[in-house]
Amino acid sequence: MNGFLPGSWRSVLPHIDELPADRSPRVTSGQGVQANLPMELVRQSISRKEYWPIPDEVADAYRKFRPTPLWRATGFERAIGARVPVYVKYEGGNISGSHKLNTALAQAYYYSRAGVKELVTGTGAGQWGTALAAACALFGLRCTVFMVGSSLSRKPYRGVLMRMLGAEVHASPSGLTAVGRDHDGSRGNSLSLAIGEAVEYAKATDGAAFSIGSGETYSILHQSVIGQEAQVQLAELDADVDAVVGCVGAGSNFGGIALPFHAEAVATGTPAPLLVAAESSTTPKLSRGVYAYDQTDATGTGPLEAMYTIGSDYVIPDSHSAGLRFHAAAKVVSAMRHAGQVEAMGIGQVEALEAGRLLTVHETVLPAPESGHALAAAAKLATGTAEGMRAERGVLVCASGHGYLDLAAYQQFLDGELSDVAPLPEALSAAVSGLDRVGELSTAGRRP
């Protein structure tokens, strides 16, 4: 594939304030979550070095599907009545069907060089599990995936694809772990539980390590290829945007498309575009959550991280936006939200799937429901209907994956069978009542 491929990942850490330090877990039971983390990934998480050369083996794998396309979505613009241009960056054209492969390949490379023999993970909608299975196959590692059971039942072919790639796939909660056997439906959300099962299973398995695809600082770094490519592609089109949008589960897709724009703005002393995180209205951590220290999975053995969260014990309503159903946002994204450098917008699944339908009809690209949230947010910005936010020159939106394995969701949407359940204020208050807050939301640097 011809075109620009970045030679390095670009870190945003040199261009933001220091992140709050992690805290020890409330409960300790053996090793922490990151006991087997390769040192290079540790360095990528804490160093303020800006550019990290992409290893040749990873770059060779990237060239099979990168650079990914970017185009002006004129049909989508007409359908929504846009006032400004909308540009779509599409990450769905690889074996995983999503942006997740960008970090999966990097992680499999570093773990294999560190002597790890098996990677274990939890996945919601299945894109991350598929990406890690593909990366493990390429770098000669075993792979075990715990997938949210309700999602696996709706998308069985995700499991088939992972097994084709050599992975073992288990519906979560499973009977393989104590955290899974103890689950009674009353604690935590299902993605947190799947991750908790993966953490426990990896700790108990010789030669295995837990791998996570979204919230960690190093995984967001690996996604910076998206934004760097987009900057070059927009320049080639002589296009100017003042808003960048991505959907947020934990934050890797949003971080990948948006944070290179922030880094470039700070480095060049120019105004940063509006960076908008589109999240599920059922999981509104950035728009309705609190900035506090919380756990990242259901085992409680990992460090407490400073994140925008609705509480790891909050039971998130089921929806077709499985990849967004994580209770907290990545600490990098959270810190930038706290500093007023990131805005947030909650989107319901019905609105998201309608935006996805419009892209399908008018741009002949079928996006995943998660990406529909970003498209719906981009539509609000482009039409001037976003509350408190406005784009004057153009909007860039990342469609983070395809929706070919999500057609059941679109069928229910077309049949009028879907609705949205937003959290009640008292439920959110109760879920975060025991958390230590980092501080009140800063207004410094926020747009009026």
Side-chain angles (χ1 to χ4, degrees):
M1 183 177 291
N2 297 321
F4 172 75
L5 176 66
S8 299
W9 296 301
R10 187 176 190 178
S11 174
V12 76
L13 293 182
H15 302 295
I16 63 174
D17 293 338
E18 293 278 358
L19 302 180
D22 294 347
R23 292 183 177 178
S24 299
R26 300 189 189 97
V27 179
T28 57
S29 56
Q31 291 178 307
V33 174
Q34 297 182 344
N36 294 328
L37 193 65
M39 281 307 301
E40 188 67 1
L41 296 182
V42 174
R43 285 190 285 268
Q44 291 172 4
S45 295
I46 61 177
S47 171
R48 295 181 74 83
K49 174 181 173 181
E50 185 167 6
Y51 290 99
W52 298 81
I54 300 173
D56 290 342
E57 294 90 334
V58 178
D60 288 343
Y62 280 175
R63 291 188 185 97
K64 297 175 183 177
F65 62 96
R66 304 208 70 88
T68 58
L70 180 148
W71 70 95
R72 181 174 175 181
T74 54
F76 184 74
E77 290 173 16
R78 289 192 295 270
I80 64 175
R83 299 165 46 257
V84 299
V86 177
Y87 299 90
V88 174
K89 176 72 165 164
Y90 181 59
E91 290 291 306
N94 61 67
I95 183 66
S96 74
S98 83
H99 70 292
K100 299 287 189 179
L101 193 57
N102 296 322
T103 187
L105 289 166
Q107 290 189 47
Y109 167 80
Y110 287 121
Y111 276 108
S112 65
R113 286 176 60 88
V116 170
K117 303 301 182 185
E118 177 180 358
L119 290 181
V120 186
T121 197
T123 189
Q127 291 99 328
W128 168 241
T130 305
L132 192 65
C136 284
L138 191 63
F139 285 100
L141 300 173
R142 300 190 304 274
C143 183
T144 299
V145 178
F146 290 86
M147 183 169 173
V148 172
S150 60
S151 186
L152 182 58
S153 66
R154 284 197 298 258
K155 305 174 189 180
Y157 295 119
R158 279 281 181 200
V160 173
L161 180 53
M162 286 184 259
R163 288 192 290 271
M164 280 185 64
L165 291 164
E168 287 190 14
V169 183
H170 305 285
S172 176
S174 75
L176 297 178
T177 67
V179 70
R181 290 189 296 271
D182 291 345
H183 179 68
D184 61 4
S186 64
R187 50 180 282 239
N189 75 73
S190 52
L191 181 53
S192 175
L193 179 66
I195 292 171
E197 289 209 81
V199 169
E200 180 183 332
Y201 185 90
K203 285 167 57 179
T205 304
D206 289 340
F210 170 70
S211 174
I212 193 164
S214 186
E216 295 302 319
T217 304
Y218 55 81
S219 65
I220 293 175
L221 171 71
H222 303 150
Q223 298 296 351
S224 66
V225 291
I226 304 173
Q228 291 184 82
E229 283 182 9
Q231 289 169 331
V232 171
Q233 291 166 321
L234 288 170
E236 291 173 346
L237 294 174
D238 197 24
D240 183 21
V241 299
D242 58 345
V244 181
V245 187
C247 61
V248 172
S252 67
N253 158 66
F254 171 76
I257 189 69
L259 301 195
F261 284 84
H262 178 82
E264 182 67 14
V266 176
T268 58
T270 56
L274 183 68
L275 307 181
V276 181
E279 58 186 3
S280 169
S281 59
T282 67
T283 321
K285 51 262 186 172
L286 288 168
S287 56
R288 296 180 60 192
V290 299
Y291 194 32
Y293 289 93
D294 199 6
Q295 59 192 38
T296 58
D297 68 89
T299 68
T301 60
L304 297 174
E305 297 184 1
M307 306 178 292
Y308 271 90
T309 178
I310 56 174
S312 58
D313 290 332
Y314 181 75
V315 181
I316 297 170
D318 195 18
S319 77
H320 284 288
S321 306
L324 306 187
R325 294 179 67 248
F326 189 62
H327 65 280
K331 54 188 176 183
V332 171
V333 175
S334 294
M336 293 181 67
R337 167 68 170 156
H338 189 65
Q341 297 157 340
V342 164
E343 300 290 344
M345 192 184 303
I347 301 290
Q349 65 175 342
V350 174
E351 186 178 7
L353 289 168
E354 170 60 13
R357 184 190 71 82
L358 290 176
L359 194 78
T360 303
V361 171
H362 298 284
E363 299 293 335
T364 63
V365 171
L366 174 66
E370 293 86 353
S371 299
H373 290 71
L375 291 163
K380 289 178 181 290
L381 290 164
T383 57
T385 58
E387 185 176 351
M389 293 176 248
R390 191 176 182 87
E392 300 289 351
R393 300 190 301 276
V395 180
L396 170 65
V397 56
C398 185
S400 59
H402 71 60
Y404 290 105
L405 296 177
D406 300 285
L407 288 173
Y410 282 104
Q411 179 179 3
Q412 286 187 284
F413 165 73
L414 293 172
D415 292 342
E417 297 176 356
L418 294 181
S419 61
D420 293 296
V421 182
L424 296 173
E426 55 268 29
L428 290 180
S429 295
V432 301
S433 61
L435 301 180
D436 292 332
R437 310 293 178 90
V438 179
E440 296 302 319
L441 178 63
S442 171
T443 58
R446 292 181 65 81
R447 294 169 181 258

